Amino acid sequence: MLPSYVGYGLLLVFGIFFTLVTFVMQRRRKQAMTAEQFSTAGRSVGVGLASASIIAAWTWAATLMMSSATGYQYGISGPYWYAAGACIQVLLFAIVAIHLKKRAPNAHTFLEFIAQRFDVKNHRLIMCFALMTNILVTAMVVLGGAIALNSLTGMNIYVAAFLIPLTFTIYTMIGGLKASFVADYFNTVMIFAILAIFATTIYIKFGIDPIYEGLSNLPASTSMLTMASVPGLFFGMINIIGNFGAVFVDQAYWQRAIASKDSAASRAYIYGGIAWFSIPFAIATFLGVSAAGLGISVATPDSVAPEMAAHLLGSVGSILFLAMLFMAVMSTGAAELTAITNIIVTDIYRKSMNPQATSEKLLNVSRRVTLGFGLMMGILSILLFKVGISLSFVYMAMGIFVSGAVIPVTLGLLWKKATNTGTFYGAFSGLVLGVTVWITSAQLLFGEISVSTLGELQPMFFGNITVFLVSGTISIGHALMSSQEFDFESLKDKFRSFDEDQTTEEDVAYEQKRATAK
């Protein structure tokens, strides 16, 4: 195990490095930061940078930690179900991304579109889903980073949980969404490079045969060496449903579409989704499945990845894994910070509290919200550790709490017949019945309701599938029975720039380019 000061040193180095990069980038731009730039990065990001950003934003700490845990627990089916189950949502998001660009080109959040498309109560309900998604995802980022630091350096897990959010909060306050994109690019390159080192080392040091023989000798070999593993299938279904919510209800992915050029929005999600598949599939196979085959004993499945990295390369392996993990933590954390900041500033402060706020005022509020949310997540993560909530529990329960809004939101963007009533009761009923089925099935199957029984695969599966079926049935059914049709053309000129009175030469050139393209 590394000494604890290595953990503190890594936090300090990563925080200072990205803060300096952001500061230098701001000075080189020779352009004052505005509220519009802070929240949309000028809506001019190309396909390459946007693709790298999507890969990095979707590479959570859970992608490295949880995917390896599935390989360790479920064998060869675990890596596939994790990677495929979380890849399809990003690919499908390309469809809604291009529709948002067409129907609300100047929107800052997808909730701003929802407010114009539906009524007030739908806007408030979907906003609750969006905020819950951002909080759960950020909690997983912090929990995963703190577990890895504690496993490899012995650093106090509560101190780690509080300090981790500060590392990405400071540079996000300075550079906004653009800083997040630049950090994402660095992080994606580093993650692939370190992943290649681990894969090559395992192949050279052990080869395939000892791992296969080890899996064959396990008591659970009948499920570890087949894609038809029943536990693997349960996890796969939970993963697919839960991650629909984590993408389609997370402002972090909508704002990447908003920040991209019109020509780059849909292609970035296709390229990014395909490239992302290789990260969890490879890390779970090389660190999770290999650890099970080689008989590596770990404290908990959540910590198999860092402990296998240390087993492979000693201190060097631990440092490489921590570096890779922090690349993921910094990217996702910054993306979630800017997402929740945009929601609070656009859909709460500007819409309800101060509609006439100037760009300078909005920028000031954005930075305060970013700092406040970063500090709050540190405290919340400590509380989750105190009550015994694990990374795996939060990951699998996430879909029950956030996926109710997936079908209603998507229908609202793509289908003119989607109704206010169907959207509201579809999302709300999906959440209520999903939680009810989750708790009830835990009681019926295991005889008690506790963190342990609620975290079992079967209750998680029944809760997740109920949310999707109920929300989809109600929202589609009511739309089909209704004769209402929404005119998407009425949304034109409904969205106002934060810098309406501060139009720059760059904005004018971009708008002229958009008009020419049409």
Side-chain angles (χ1 to χ4, degrees):
M1 180 182 287
L2 297 168
S4 60
Y5 65 78
V6 173
Y8 290 99
L10 280 170
L11 288 176
L12 188 65
V13 168
F14 275 97
I16 292 175
F17 173 75
F18 283 104
T19 302
L20 286 176
V21 168
T22 305
F23 181 75
V24 171
M25 184 181 70
Q26 286 293 104
R27 294 293 298 267
R28 291 192 64 182
R29 281 173 59 85
K30 296 179 179 177
Q31 182 181 8
M33 174 66 76
T34 66
E36 189 74 8
Q37 286 282 340
F38 190 90
S39 65
T40 68
R43 305 179 194 271
S44 59
V45 177
V47 65
L49 194 56
S51 300
S53 178
I54 290 163
I55 295 169
W58 200 214
T59 305
W60 304 352
T63 304
L64 308 178
M65 306 281 284
M66 183 69 195
S67 64
S68 300
T70 62
Y72 189 78
Q73 291 173 295
Y74 312 130
I76 62 171
S77 68
Y80 172 80
W81 281 118
Y82 190 100
C87 177
I88 185 171
Q89 297 85 356
V90 179
L91 297 176
L92 291 175
F93 197 83
I95 299 171
V96 296
I98 197 64
H99 277 80
L100 182 72
K101 298 290 284 185
K102 286 180 178 176
R103 291 174 172 165
N106 292 318
H108 301 85
T109 67
F110 80 99
L111 294 166
E112 206 176 5
F113 169 82
I114 293 293
Q116 297 294 339
R117 173 67 175 85
F118 296 112
D119 55 16
V120 175
K121 66 180 182 182
N122 270 299
H123 178 245
R124 290 174 179 169
L125 178 65
I126 303 299
M127 183 160 56
C128 291
F129 277 99
L131 292 174
M132 192 155 44
T133 305
N134 289 129
I135 290 171
L136 287 175
V137 172
T138 311
M140 281 190 282
V141 168
V142 178
L143 290 178
I147 290 170
L149 274 176
N150 178 257
S151 299
L152 294 176
T153 70
M155 183 177 175
N156 185 290
I157 199 164
Y158 302 119
V159 175
F162 186 76
L163 292 180
I164 287 172
L166 294 182
T167 58
F168 51 79
T169 296
I170 296 171
Y171 79 80
T172 306
M173 285 177 62
I174 298 173
L177 187 57
K178 191 72 174 183
S180 172
F181 275 92
V182 173
D184 290 347
Y185 180 82
F186 280 114
N187 296 344
T188 302
V189 172
M190 287 298 295
I191 287 170
F192 274 109
I194 295 173
L195 186 57
I197 292 173
F198 283 135
T200 305
T201 303
I202 287 179
Y203 187 78
I204 293 174
K205 197 169 181 178
F206 301 108
I208 298 173
D209 290 343
I211 296 171
Y212 176 80
E213 290 169 5
L215 291 173
S216 302
N217 294 328
L218 288 175
S221 61
T222 52
S223 62
M224 298 292 280
L225 286 168
T226 175
M227 291 298 293
S229 162
V230 173
L233 285 172
F234 267 118
F235 171 77
M237 295 301 105
I238 295 169
N239 197 36
I240 290 172
I241 296 168
N243 283 314
F244 264 108
V247 173
F248 281 66
V249 194
D250 190 339
Q251 168 62 18
Y253 299 92
W254 293 91
Q255 71 190 11
R256 273 151 178 74
I258 291 168
S260 301
K261 295 177 182 176
D262 293 357
S263 58
S266 60
R267 285 190 295 155
Y269 287 91
I270 295 171
Y271 298 158
I274 293 172
W276 178 86
F277 179 93
S278 61
I279 294 177
F281 186 79
I283 198 81
T285 302
F286 288 114
L287 296 186
V289 177
S290 296
L294 294 171
I296 306 297
S297 178
V298 297
T300 67
D302 284 353
S303 63
V304 65
E307 293 188 27
M308 182 62 183
H311 178 79
L312 271 181
L313 292 168
S315 299
V316 174
S318 298
I319 292 173
L320 284 175
F321 184 83
L322 281 176
M324 182 167 63
L325 185 84
F326 266 92
M327 295 294 178
V329 167
M330 300 285 276
S331 295
T332 313
E336 295 302 317
L337 268 184
T338 51
I340 204 161
T341 298
N342 279 344
I343 290 173
I344 293 174
V345 171
T346 304
D347 295 282
I348 298 177
Y349 181 75
R350 191 197 193 203
K351 182 176 176 59
S352 305
M353 299 172 65
N354 190 358
Q356 302 304 320
T358 63
S359 176
E360 185 180 359
K361 178 68 176 176
L362 291 171
L363 179 61
N364 188 28
V365 173
S366 297
R367 286 176 165 153
R368 290 185 181 187
V369 171
T370 301
L371 177 61
F373 182 65
L375 293 173
M376 187 200 79
M377 286 312 304
I379 297 170
L380 177 63
S381 301
I382 292 173
L383 292 176
L384 289 175
F385 277 126
K386 287 282 187 185
V387 297
I389 301 293
S390 68
L391 180 64
S392 302
F393 185 94
V394 178
Y395 183 84
M396 291 197 290
M398 171 182 63
I400 299 172
F401 293 102
V402 304
S403 294
V406 172
I407 294 177
V409 167
T410 306
L411 290 177
L413 186 65
L414 303 181
W415 195 23
K416 61 184 179 182
K417 287 183 69 65
T419 63
N420 283 311
T421 303
T423 299
F424 181 83
Y425 287 105
F428 184 73
S429 302
L431 171 64
V432 172
L433 290 177
V435 172
T436 303
V437 169
W438 178 37
I439 295 173
T440 305
S441 57
Q443 173 67 46
L444 293 176
L445 291 172
F446 301 100
E448 64 173 354
I449 299 171
S450 65
V451 173
S452 175
T453 59
L454 290 171
E456 293 290 337
L457 285 173
Q458 292 91 336
M460 287 285 189
F461 172 75
F462 294 131
N464 272 277
I465 197 71
T466 301
V467 172
F468 234 61
L469 291 176
V470 170
S471 64
T473 301
I474 293 177
S475 52
I476 294 173
H478 191 270
L480 291 174
M481 290 187 293
S482 171
S483 59
Q484 299 176 25
E485 288 191 354
F486 184 78
D487 179 15
F488 285 109
E489 291 298 315
S490 66
L491 293 178
K492 283 186 177 178
D493 304 323
K494 292 284 188 181
F495 306 99
R496 188 163 55 94
S497 167
F498 288 157
D499 303 340
E500 200 166 61
D501 299 327
Q502 303 176 34
T503 306
T504 65
E505 292 181 2
E506 189 178 273
D507 297 330
V508 172
Y510 177 64
E511 289 301 329
Q512 289 175 343
K513 195 173 179 181
R514 280 177 53 85
T516 305
K518 291 176 182 175

